Amino acid sequence: MSSFTTSERWRWEEGPQMQPLRTEISFEFTFQAAHTLPWHSGKCRNMHGHSYRCELFFAGQLTDEGIVVDFDAVDSFVAGELMPVLDHTYLNDSMPNPTAELIAARIFLIADAAGLPISGVRLWETATSSAIVRPTP
């Protein structure tokens, strides 16, 4: 049994024994959109909509403030950059083939171009089906 009290275990000890940590955080949001997949042989060939759920992952070493990226900055990015082009839109107007995989890739590239430390995007098209995009190592 440890001789440390609970408060001592949670005290942050900085010093030479600390290794830089790679930390990953996530931020989720939802949007509604319609699309068609003209190449599809089934019902997805017809116009239909989804209640998408998107999880953004951000990774890196902690800043001096102890964060990877400010959640408020991510929230502002989503509200200002992603929602206007995703929410309540017909995705085929901006993408010729809006599959879950390609939508997730587009979201990744937009976040990366905005200078955010994006490490991955997971996009759920349904409650049981999602696409995950991460950069290749």
Side-chain angles (χ1 to χ4, degrees), residues 20-106:
L21 300 174
R22 181 181 185 273
T23 303
E24 190 167 45
I25 64 165
S26 68
F27 182 92
E28 287 189 28
F29 66 99
T30 60
F31 64 94
Q32 320 305 312
H35 70 152
T36 60
L37 300 175
W39 55 266
H40 199 277
S41 61
K43 62 184 179 179
C44 293
R45 179 179 190 81
N46 301 319
M47 185 187 301
H48 62 285
H50 295 282
S51 294
Y52 290 94
R53 183 173 127 220
C54 186
E55 185 173 16
L56 306 177
F57 296 92
F58 302 94
Q61 291 187 2
L62 300 178
T63 67
D64 290 342
E65 293 79 19
I67 62 174
V68 173
V69 64
D70 191 323
F71 283 116
D72 286 340
V74 175
D75 187 50
S76 294
F77 165 75
V78 169
E81 301 295 324
L82 296 180
M83 293 303 276
V85 297
L86 295 173
D87 195 34
H88 288 83
T89 65
Y90 178 56
L91 295 171
N92 294 73
D93 286 343
S94 61
M95 297 179 72
N97 187 25
T99 63
E101 295 87 343
L102 293 174
I103 298 165
R106 173 73 58 90

